[in-house]
Amino acid sequence: MKFIFSYVAFLAMTALYAQSYVDSGIRHYAAGEFEEALIDFKDAADIESMITESSRAKLYFYRGMIWLSRAEKSPNGFPEIDPLKLSYDDLTKVLSMDDSWKAQIDDAYSRLYTLILEEADNYLKQVKKEDELDQKLKLLDSRNGFLDLAVNLDVSAMPVLYLAQTNKQAGDLIFEGSKDFQELQIAKKYYEESLKHFEQARYEDPFSKKIIQDLLTISTRLGDSERIDEYNKLLELAGG
């Protein structure tokens, strides 16, 4: 019985410590003392199972906002970490714990969305400076990773189109520069991803001649006769 009492007391004390870390972190955050806040939030996260869902939501919201602030003020200033991804990881956890944060999360998502698209565009700019195919593909893959985050934020439908275009660009680089069977199989995977995203983009603009033309080009390169017929008909309907 004494052991049980001691264990319960230990759990209660641990819960108090965890909550105090969250409260201290929020105070440091409000004072602009981000380093101190991050230390408190880390300590709280280490024993987060001991605090309420509401307190966990606070922990992840305020820590996510610190990473967001760093990303806005010092883009590419933290080579050892990626504040954009850290912000995304923390902020996307909040609503599953406490949906009363929706208005704040919506605002944070809008800010995060802009930064993520800027980062994705930076990779596209770097592609133009590279000569090696492997490096170009790595940069396009990195761009796709950020575009996937932007899609998940659900702020706008545009990242779906960007994903389609980026995957097509990667497929084109291989298809137009190689006759190696294995490399062409990689191009095929990029093209299949591109098709999927272009089809999603068509929900927003069903008769976009540009999208349909891209779909037709990809289908032709894949040798998909059924899709070729379908997109030729759609192109006629779109006045192409």
Side-chain angles (χ1 to χ4, degrees):
M1 186 72 176
K2 183 178 179 181
F3 171 78
I4 294 174
F5 176 80
S6 298
Y7 181 66
V8 171
F10 169 76
L11 291 179
M13 187 63 68
T14 304
L16 283 173
Y17 274 124
Q19 185 62 54
S20 70
Y21 289 138
V22 174
D23 293 340
S24 177
I26 293 173
R27 286 195 295 272
H28 283 305
Y29 172 86
E33 299 164 352
F34 289 169
E35 287 298 333
E36 292 85 350
L38 287 173
I39 293 171
D40 284 332
F41 290 142
K42 181 185 182 305
D43 289 338
D46 287 342
I47 46 176
E48 69 169 288
S49 61
M50 304 305 299
I51 56 179
T52 64
E53 291 252 299
S54 177
S55 289
R56 273 187 251 174
K58 291 177 183 177
L59 186 169
Y60 286 114
F61 175 77
Y62 286 108
R63 192 170 71 176
M65 293 302 291
I66 290 174
W67 296 126
L68 178 56
S69 177
R70 285 190 167 184
E72 286 178 327
K73 293 178 180 177
S74 304
N76 304 315
F78 300 90
E80 74 283 4
I81 58 172
D82 188 336
L84 274 179
K85 288 185 176 179
L86 290 172
S87 180
Y88 172 88
D89 288 343
D90 278 351
L91 291 174
T92 52
K93 294 175 183 175
V94 175
L95 292 182
S96 64
M97 299 173 184
D98 186 347
D99 60 9
S100 68
W101 289 89
K102 187 175 186 314
Q104 293 94 323
I105 290 295
D106 285 346
D107 179 67
Y109 274 6
S110 294
R111 292 164 59 188
L112 187 58
Y113 174 85
T114 299
L115 292 172
I116 286 174
L117 286 191
E118 287 176 359
E119 185 66 8
D121 284 345
N122 285 337
Y123 283 102
L124 195 58
K125 291 173 185 175
Q126 292 177 53
V127 170
K128 298 175 182 177
K129 300 176 183 178
E130 288 290 340
D131 295 322
E132 296 295 325
L133 176 61
D134 286 348
Q135 287 303 312
K136 287 178 180 285
L137 293 178
K138 284 179 182 178
L139 290 168
L140 290 173
D141 286 340
S142 295
R143 173 175 165 79
N144 279 336
F146 281 97
L147 290 175
D148 280 329
L149 297 184
V151 168
N152 292 337
L153 291 176
D154 199 25
V155 173
S156 162
M158 287 306 295
V160 173
L161 180 58
Y162 298 153
L163 276 168
Q165 293 168 340
T166 305
N167 279 289
K168 180 179 181 296
Q169 183 176 354
D172 289 345
L173 284 171
I174 301 171
F175 187 89
E176 294 168 3
S178 175
K179 296 190 181 301
D180 179 80
F181 176 78
Q182 289 184 328
E183 290 184 352
L184 290 174
Q185 290 301 109
I186 297 173
K188 180 181 178 183
K189 290 180 181 179
Y190 280 117
Y191 278 148
E192 287 171 346
E193 277 295 300
S194 184
L195 280 172
K196 179 179 73 176
H197 292 301
F198 270 130
E199 282 291 1
Q200 290 176 318
R202 281 190 60 235
Y203 285 116
E204 298 294 320
D205 193 357
F207 293 104
S208 165
K209 288 192 285 186
K210 179 66 174 72
I211 291 177
I212 297 170
Q213 185 60 64
D214 283 335
L215 284 165
L216 179 58
T217 298
I218 295 170
S219 300
T220 301
R221 291 187 167 183
L222 290 175
D224 188 334
S225 58
E226 187 173 326
R227 284 183 180 272
I228 291 170
D229 289 342
E230 175 187 352
Y231 296 132
N232 270 320
K233 290 174 183 176
L234 283 173
L235 200 57
E236 288 179 16
L237 289 173

